[in-house]
Amino acid sequence: MNNILRIENLTVRVDNHQILKDFDLNINKGEVHVLLGPNGAGKTTLIKSILGFKKYVVESGKIYFKGEDITNLSISERVSKGIGVLFQHPPEINGVKLSKLLTVCDQKRNMFTKETTENACDSDLDEYMDSLAQRLKFSKDYLERDVNTGISGGEIKRSEILQMMVMQPEFLLFDEPDSGVDVENVEIIASIMRELLDRDKVPSKQEKSGLIITHLGYILKFLGHITRAHIVMDGKILCSGNPKQIINGVMKNGFEKCRECISCIDSTEKLEEVDFTL
Amino acid sequence: MIDKDKADDDIDLNDYKIEDLKTSKFYKSEQEIPDELRNSMKKVGIEVDSDKSGIFLQSGNKPDLCVSKVQGIELMPLKEALKIYDGSDGKLNLQDYFWKAVSSDKDKFTTEAAINEITDGYFIHALAGQKTIFPLQSCLFIPPFPGLKQVVHNIIIAEPGSQLDIITGCTAHTGAKSAIHLGVSEFYAKKDAKISFTMVHNWTETTKVRPRTGIILEENAKFSNFYVVMSEVKNLQTNPSIKLIGKNASYFGQTLIYAKGESYYDIGATAHLIGEGSKAEIISRVLAVDNSHVIARGKIIGDGKDVTGHIDCSALLLSPTARVDSIPAIVAQNPEVTLTHEASVGKISDDHIEYLMSRGLTEDEAINLIVSGFLDVDTSPLPPSLAEETKKIIDIVSKSEMG
Ligand SMILES: Nc1ncnc2c1ncn2[C@@H]1O[C@H](COP(=O)(O)OP(=O)(O)O)[C@@H](O)[C@H]1O
Ligand SMILES: [Mg+2]
């Protein structure tokens, strides 16, 4: 299988606290994985380490993207290779209009994908925004506001989604795309995520890959096929497996039980259809 | 503690000279202006040939050009205006406006301007109900004359219901070593009058600058003030005083400073809200690099009933040796006032840079995007044509100064 992201033995320190310890993760091309875990487990830390944020110091271990060691590359170099991210808490950037940032994202995508022919928006960026405005239910003056400034949780997710729609990365990291979003909007966001991740295509045509972080699970109901789920606690993956089994187990027993691992995903246990509705 | 060396309080005006005024020329039309002067004016965004309601040009201490193109808007050298407006035959008496918005004994610089009989400046007078369609332009230029002192006195009067849009550029020739600019400007906006004023300064690393501005606003008068300095300077100190004496008068001031090299700026504004319901907003944006030091002051005194005032100073430091002191002050002398301030001084946060880098921007590109956003000031308080011009100037100047 074609490997897209491989994390080997990654130990990450933040402000002198070890947050990730000997972390391993493997995602192949076309796969979408889900990472579940309680607050403070280290999920966001993992995302920022994959991207190479300064405060997240890699003490040991390696990160490979498409087989290439990216552990020591800058954020922009990593992103230029096809990584995209939707942040949980993006900062407010005064003075920079969202429309301006989207234009820059568009230029960057053109630069990064010089050779690739398939672009979701090789038409005019303006027209593309018009069509997205309808789907995502925002008015165009929303684009003239400063990035993430003085807007609601749902609007922040929209702004992040828009940037991803323009960048169309090969591999996407979603950090809690559903937190602080009401039920109706979760469905809208999920439908866009499905598109970004090629989930509506037949499996052989699913080129995009991703890692979705959530601690609710509700959004998964709308995302189509998920390859694998992992439970992360205290900076380590405690359990990996079939998404439905894993989520069933967490919902039945809670995360705390994972620490003592009660083998809730016993393979002899009969699989029930999961009701993701919480 | 304020850096004594840079603050340079002890300017000795006797160290400076006024040029030989007998040799200065007076041009009859824009076409006669020599290219060298034309190019200097471009640096402060002034294009001589574009559509304007009038133009005034002064190099050193004598006017070079004064063309007024609009009926009802008078533009002339101040010395000339003083002769015409003597109060005779029911005419305006300019003496009633002389040293009324700025007091002549305020400091040694105003004193120098007051006792100086030979220097000049401009007089702009909008007659009642008259409006400029295109802005009036003025340009004050320091010629390549080492140790020159340029002493300018301007008086601007907007009669009731009139509207004046003015764009002023002040600049120094690169050969104008160790010159000093003293500029006194007195503004009077009468009932329902509106003045919009954009001023762009472009100095050299040896120029010392002492603008002294006073603004008096009567009932319902409005004043929008944009001040942009993006060049090096030796030492610049200014603190316009705005007196809002009329009911519902309003003032909006926005200052944009890009301080670099060894520049020292002490800039501010003081608004005194006297008329009932009057309001003032004082905004400054400072970008400090290299070893520059900027003191950004703002002061609003609330005296009248139901007055409102707000001060907003924000500064970005792009070098570890740059320094910004932000000093907002609000003084309430009446319980029925609403005065607020906010200030932020700091470097660009790593979070912001890393966020933009996660969209593929390099670190430098991320910083540039944030800086250009910081400089993208809101010109909407200005009338459309002046707003457009102001944006264009900030764009031109920031491109040439920041590379
Ligand atoms: N920038 C940071 N500075 C200090 N501590 C941090 C920082 N980021 C994360 N941490 C700490 O690392 C741990 C994991 O945090 P995080 O990765 O945000 O968890 P999650 O996203 O799973 O809720 C927490 O204990 C948190 O306090
Ligand atoms: Mg998190």
Side-chain angles (χ1 to χ4, degrees):
Chain A
M1 264 254 203
N2 211 340
N3 187 263
I4 190 109
L5 180 77
R6 193 165 86 246
I7 298 176
E8 277 178 4
N9 273 316
L10 195 71
T11 296
V12 172
R13 185 167 44 83
V14 183
D15 293 343
N16 274 323
H17 296 285
Q18 222 176 58
I19 309 292
L20 299 179
K21 291 165 202 103
D22 292 328
F23 195 97
D24 288 303
L25 183 68
N26 203 66
I27 300 178
N28 290 323
K29 189 165 180 183
E31 293 184 352
V32 173
H33 290 215
V34 168
L35 205 64
L36 299 151
N39 272 330
K43 304 183 297 293
T44 299
T45 301
L46 175 67
I47 294 229
K48 294 191 171 170
S49 308
I50 293 171
L51 288 165
F53 277 42
K54 239 186 271 170
K55 265 177 97 174
Y56 299 75
V57 182
V58 173
E59 294 203 303
S60 60
K62 293 262 180 240
I63 305 168
Y64 297 91
F65 186 68
K66 295 192 276 193
E68 185 189 344
D69 182 356
I70 59 164
T71 323
N72 296 312
L73 298 187
S74 74
I75 302 173
S76 10
E77 285 166 329
R78 296 178 200 213
V79 167
S80 73
K81 297 189 183 297
I83 304 180
V85 58
L86 180 144
F87 287 103
Q88 183 182 6
H89 300 296
E92 296 186 358
I93 306 201
N94 286 322
V96 179
K97 291 196 178 87
L98 180 55
S99 59
K100 173 72 190 171
L101 180 54
L102 290 169
T103 309
V104 176
C105 287
D106 191 42
Q107 288 162 355
K108 288 294 170 187
R109 178 189 52 89
N110 281 323
M111 241 171 80
F112 299 156
T113 59
K114 277 171 297 224
E115 253 71 71
T116 354
T117 42
E118 198 204 337
N119 287 329
C121 50
D122 34 28
S123 64
D124 180 44
L125 183 63
D126 258 2
E127 284 170 29
Y128 186 53
M129 282 304 137
D130 282 338
S131 71
L132 284 177
Q134 288 198 347
R135 282 184 66 190
L136 280 163
K137 297 187 188 156
F138 61 85
S139 64
K140 292 275 276 195
D141 57 282
Y142 164 70
L143 300 177
E144 297 314 310
R145 291 205 248 156
D146 289 354
V147 177
N148 303 327
T149 302
I151 56 178
S152 70
E155 286 174 312
I156 286 184
K157 299 293 182 207
R158 275 192 180 76
S159 143
E160 294 287 292
I161 285 268
L162 282 175
Q163 294 173 54
M164 287 307 98
M165 286 299 274
V166 172
M167 299 214 54
Q168 295 284 326
E170 266 177 87
F171 175 68
L172 287 123
L173 299 158
F174 292 95
D175 196 354
E176 310 217 7
D178 48 353
S179 66
V181 182
D182 56 45
V183 178
E184 181 196 357
N185 286 310
V186 166
E187 284 187 47
I188 296 175
I189 287 173
S191 88
I192 302 257
M193 285 171 70
R194 244 184 10 243
E195 182 180 322
L196 280 167
L197 292 166
D198 285 351
R199 291 306 97 177
D200 293 328
K201 294 185 179 167
V202 294
S204 65
K205 287 261 167 12
Q206 293 180 346
E207 303 266 310
K208 304 285 186 66
S209 328
L211 179 64
I212 301 168
I213 289 174
T214 175
H215 64 243
L216 296 175
Y218 175 68
I219 195 169
L220 300 176
K221 207 175 142 166
F222 308 103
L223 287 180
H225 178 66
I226 306 284
T227 320
R228 231 171 137 70
H230 311 271
I231 289 178
V232 58
M233 287 184 75
D234 308 325
K236 260 186 115 65
I237 288 186
L238 290 189
C239 186
S240 303
N242 175 300
K244 285 180 180 164
Q245 285 180 322
I246 296 258
I247 290 155
N248 254 348
V250 169
M251 279 199 297
K252 209 159 66 194
N253 306 312
F255 287 118
E256 276 312 304
K257 290 283 181 208
C258 297
R259 229 188 281 275
E260 52 206 59
C261 188
I262 55 166
S263 300
C264 63
I265 51 165
D266 179 5
S267 55
T268 58
E269 192 184 324
K270 192 178 164 289
L271 276 184
E272 286 168 44
E273 233 349 79
V274 188
D275 179 9
F276 283 128
T277 323
L278 296 181
Chain B
M1 209 191 71
I2 311 250
D3 192 332
K4 254 292 171 215
D5 261 5
K6 281 190 179 174
D8 203 3
D9 284 324
D10 0 278
I11 293 175
D12 185 351
L13 287 166
N14 296 319
D15 294 346
Y16 300 87
K17 297 174 290 293
I18 283 176
E19 77 278 25
D20 179 5
L21 296 173
K22 283 193 281 299
T23 62
S24 73
K25 343 166 228 329
F26 194 79
Y27 309 111
K28 294 222 171 45
S29 76
E30 295 98 304
Q31 283 71 37
E32 291 177 26
I33 297 172
D35 284 345
E36 194 187 21
L37 193 51
R38 216 176 265 270
N39 290 335
S40 300
M41 289 165 69
K42 270 200 184 140
K43 280 197 194 143
V44 282
I46 294 196
E47 294 265 10
V48 185
D49 304 311
S50 55
D51 270 345
K52 290 293 165 300
S53 294
I55 179 161
F56 176 88
L57 188 62
Q58 174 167 334
S59 347
N61 292 286
K62 261 271 190 270
D64 289 332
L65 174 75
C66 184
V67 182
S68 173
K69 299 180 182 176
V70 181
Q71 281 272 318
I73 310 280
E74 296 171 318
L75 170 64
M76 63 184 84
L78 186 66
K79 284 265 141 71
E80 199 179 310
L82 274 169
K83 280 181 220 145
I84 300 173
Y85 290 106
D86 56 1
S88 64
D89 311 323
K91 279 186 301 193
L92 188 88
N93 189 349
L94 203 44
Q95 290 301 337
D96 295 343
Y97 300 85
F98 224 60
W99 300 108
K100 294 295 185 293
V102 174
S103 81
S104 58
D105 55 5
K106 180 183 158 59
D107 57 28
K108 66 179 163 196
F109 305 105
T110 54
T111 309
E112 168 82 12
I115 56 170
N116 217 303
E117 298 253 290
I118 42 173
T119 60
D120 212 332
Y122 56 80
F123 170 65
I124 298 176
H125 187 204
L127 304 185
Q130 299 291 326
K131 292 182 164 65
T132 41
I133 298 162
F134 297 110
L136 289 164
Q137 282 183 326
S138 88
C139 186
L140 303 170
F141 176 68
I142 301 182
F145 183 96
L148 182 81
K149 84 183 145 192
Q150 181 177 47
V151 189
V152 182
H153 192 164
N154 308 314
I155 292 181
I156 299 93
I157 303 173
E159 296 291 349
S162 66
Q163 182 183 318
L164 262 181
D165 301 343
I166 304 166
I167 188 154
T168 278
C170 299
T171 183
H173 189 279
T174 43
K177 295 268 176 287
S178 312
I180 187 165
H181 168 88
L182 313 181
V184 176
S185 298
E186 301 188 87
F187 291 88
Y188 302 88
K190 299 194 184 167
K191 187 168 185 288
D192 300 321
K194 187 174 176 202
I195 300 180
S196 304
F197 187 73
T198 293
M199 179 158 77
V200 185
H201 278 182
N202 183 303
W203 305 111
T204 75
E205 70 281 3
T206 62
T207 326
K208 295 178 181 175
V209 185
R210 291 291 181 274
R212 294 292 179 259
T213 302
I215 298 170
I216 293 178
L217 304 177
E218 295 185 11
E219 185 179 339
N220 222 15
K222 288 190 169 49
F223 199 107
S224 303
N225 198 358
F226 274 69
Y227 178 36
V228 180
V229 202
M230 301 186 91
S231 70
E232 275 183 82
V233 70
K234 170 87 175 162
N235 178 311
L236 187 155
Q237 191 273 323
T238 186
N239 194 328
S241 135
I242 306 104
K243 286 198 166 59
L244 297 98
I245 57 173
K247 201 173 156 182
N248 295 329
S250 75
Y251 175 80
F252 175 91
Q254 160 103 54
T255 301
L256 185 61
I257 305 233
Y258 173 52
K260 57 183 177 179
E262 300 291 324
S263 301
Y264 175 89
Y265 289 93
D266 183 343
I267 50 128
T270 302
H272 195 165
L273 300 166
I274 300 160
E276 182 182 335
S278 59
K279 54 172 187 269
E281 204 174 333
I282 296 171
I283 299 175
S284 65
R285 297 259 174 287
V286 175
L287 195 62
V289 304
D290 304 332
N291 294 315
S292 62
H293 181 181
V294 180
I295 302 171
R297 302 174 199 269
K299 183 173 181 181
I300 300 182
I301 305 158
D303 256 332
K305 189 170 176 290
D306 297 331
V307 301
T308 52
H310 182 66
I311 301 173
D312 175 358
C313 307
S314 49
L316 277 184
L317 276 77
L318 298 185
S319 121
T321 48
R323 170 176 164 181
V324 175
D325 308 12
S326 176
I327 312 178
I330 47 183
V331 183
Q333 299 183 153
N334 181 330
E336 289 166 280
V337 305
T338 311
L339 303 178
T340 52
H341 72 77
E342 55 189 306
S344 68
V345 176
K347 66 184 188 84
I348 299 178
S349 98
D350 285 344
D351 283 357
H352 293 187
I353 295 171
E354 291 190 317
Y355 178 72
L356 294 174
M357 288 176 79
S358 75
R359 304 304 182 221
L361 284 81
T362 63
E363 185 167 359
D364 283 346
E365 288 170 341
I367 292 171
N368 283 342
L369 185 62
I370 293 168
V371 166
S372 63
F374 184 77
L375 297 178
D376 185 17
V377 296
D378 176 17
T379 52
S380 63
L382 294 173
S385 132
L386 188 58
E388 193 187 318
E389 195 116 348
T390 304
K391 275 248 183 258
K392 203 173 80 194
I393 288 174
I394 294 173
D395 203 47
I396 293 169
V397 178
S398 57
K399 279 204 180 91
S400 87
E401 293 296 330
M402 307 178 68

